Amino acid sequence: DGDVEEATCDILVGCDGKRSVVRELAGIAFNGSHYPDTYMMGDFEDTTPFGEDAMITLHQDGLVECFPLAKGRRRWVVKTAQYVDAPTEQELKEIVAHRTGFDLRQAQCTMTSSFGVQHYIAETFAKGRVVLAGDAAHVVSPIGGQGMNLGWLDGEALAKALHAFLSTQNERHLQDYSKRQRSIARQAGKRAEWNMRLGRSFKNRWVKRWILYLFVRTPIQRVLAQLFTMQKLGAWRV
Ligand SMILES: Cc1cc2nc3c(=O)[nH]c(=O)nc-3n(C[C@H](O)[C@H](O)[C@H](O)COP(=O)(O)OP(=O)(O)OC[C@H]3O[C@@H](n4cnc5c(N)ncnc54)[C@H](O)[C@@H]3O)c2cc1C
């Protein structure tokens, strides 16, 4: 409403999203760029037999993925050649049918949208007593579904760091928070980027087949699955 209020505080936590004013006023650089990838997505009544499982189709025209939502719905995400300004239910259904064979004609649609993809990371998550968390600190590709999850991990780690700081008044705890969470965010960002690359249309179909062979038919399948599903963040180097 235009009112201005002033407040003083011992610590300021900026969790005000990717356009964070806190980050900007603290003079913390936010480095990164946009990827060329674009997607369309929509939520439909779940008419698939997948239940709690997600499904990924690596079609040569681009990825299709779908995963369950609450209340018997399922989200479908498809890669598009360019950003689609006003995506329609019909377009999405046609792409899904073409790339996966799934017929969504009878499934009720509750939402469609388009999105582009970016990756950004703050140069530090703690400058003095100004601390960043969530998208204010990092933006990763949503392919991999980690943005909000990373924010929760920040929240958990920051609660401990703040407790330690308030008990000791030692800013090292905030720096430790920054170092660890920044490294986790970088790692998740890299993995999300690889997940996203796998969903691009491949010129050479054999390269993709070879990668998929590693994923499903070799002893490193388990490790690759853990990387793909973002497990062991912070515990592994990659
Ligand atoms: C298409 C898409 C799909 C995604 N899918 C997933 C997924 O499957 N899984 C996942 O984990 N993540 C996903 N994400 C990422 C996830 O949505 C974000 O990472 C998450 O919402 C970030 O939460 P946040 O609270 O840090 O920031 P935000 O959600 O941006 O919240 C910031 C809040 O701060 C408020 N604010 C900002 N400036 C001010 C101000 N000056 N004064 C007062 N209030 C202010 C805003 O109003 C907002 O409420 C997806 C993102 C996109 C774009």
Side-chain angles (χ1 to χ4, degrees):
D1 57 6
D3 280 358
V4 177
E5 287 180 33
E6 282 187 20
T8 52
C9 52
D10 291 335
I11 296 175
L12 180 61
V13 180
C15 33
D16 47 347
K18 69 178 173 188
R19 294 191 182 83
S20 170
V21 173
V22 172
R23 185 187 64 232
E24 194 186 319
L25 292 178
I28 300 174
F30 202 40
N31 301 314
S33 62
H34 283 59
Y35 292 106
D37 307 73
T38 54
Y39 300 86
M40 205 193 282
M41 73 178 187
D43 294 348
F44 291 85
E45 175 193 348
D46 192 355
T47 52
T48 70
F50 300 131
E52 291 294 300
D53 291 334
M55 189 275 290
I56 298 177
T57 302
L58 298 174
H59 190 271
Q60 68 187 62
D61 291 345
L63 158 132
V64 176
E65 65 176 38
C66 69
F67 47 88
L69 299 176
K71 298 181 182 161
R73 287 173 306 139
R74 180 165 283 266
R75 175 160 295 174
W76 290 82
V77 180
V78 303
K79 181 147 176 24
T80 49
Q82 62 269 316
Y83 186 80
V84 180
D85 236 344
T88 65
E89 177 183 336
Q90 193 52 34
E91 283 171 290
L92 195 51
K93 285 178 172 176
E94 279 168 16
I95 295 175
V96 169
H98 169 64
R99 295 186 194 168
T100 70
F102 265 97
D103 183 356
L104 296 177
R105 269 178 302 180
Q106 303 304 322
Q108 199 195 356
C109 176
T110 50
M111 178 283 283
T112 58
S113 72
S114 289
F115 62 95
V117 190
Q118 315 154 14
H119 66 113
Y120 283 90
I121 190 158
E123 65 177 343
T124 178
F125 291 7
K127 187 171 179 181
R129 295 181 180 199
V130 177
V131 188
L132 302 176
D135 276 19
H138 42 68
V139 174
V140 300
S141 163
I143 303 300
Q146 287 308 298
M148 186 178 59
N149 285 289
L150 283 174
W152 283 339
L153 291 178
D154 290 346
E156 188 187 24
L158 187 53
K160 290 178 189 150
L162 288 179
H163 179 72
F165 169 73
L166 292 171
S167 316
T168 61
Q169 293 299 310
N170 188 340
E171 285 181 16
R172 179 180 58 82
H173 296 293
L174 305 180
Q175 288 306 321
D176 288 348
Y177 158 82
S178 169
K179 213 170 146 197
R180 180 168 164 75
Q181 295 312 113
R182 195 170 183 280
S183 142
I184 287 176
R186 274 173 59 92
Q187 203 178 18
K190 286 228 166 69
R191 290 193 197 178
E193 186 173 317
W194 274 103
N195 291 0
M196 196 174 63
R197 282 175 190 274
L198 207 55
R200 288 179 182 161
S201 51
F202 274 59
K203 285 202 181 83
N204 186 338
R205 234 191 282 179
W206 289 105
V207 174
K208 184 185 262 182
R209 279 181 186 225
W210 188 77
I211 295 172
L212 288 179
Y213 180 81
L214 289 177
F215 259 93
V216 295
R217 293 251 190 263
T218 66
I220 60 167
Q221 172 220 23
R222 210 177 134 77
V223 175
L224 290 174
Q226 286 183 317
L227 287 172
F228 191 82
T229 53
M230 302 281 175
Q231 291 174 50
K232 312 279 185 193
L233 284 172
W236 288 356
R237 289 177 70 92
V238 288

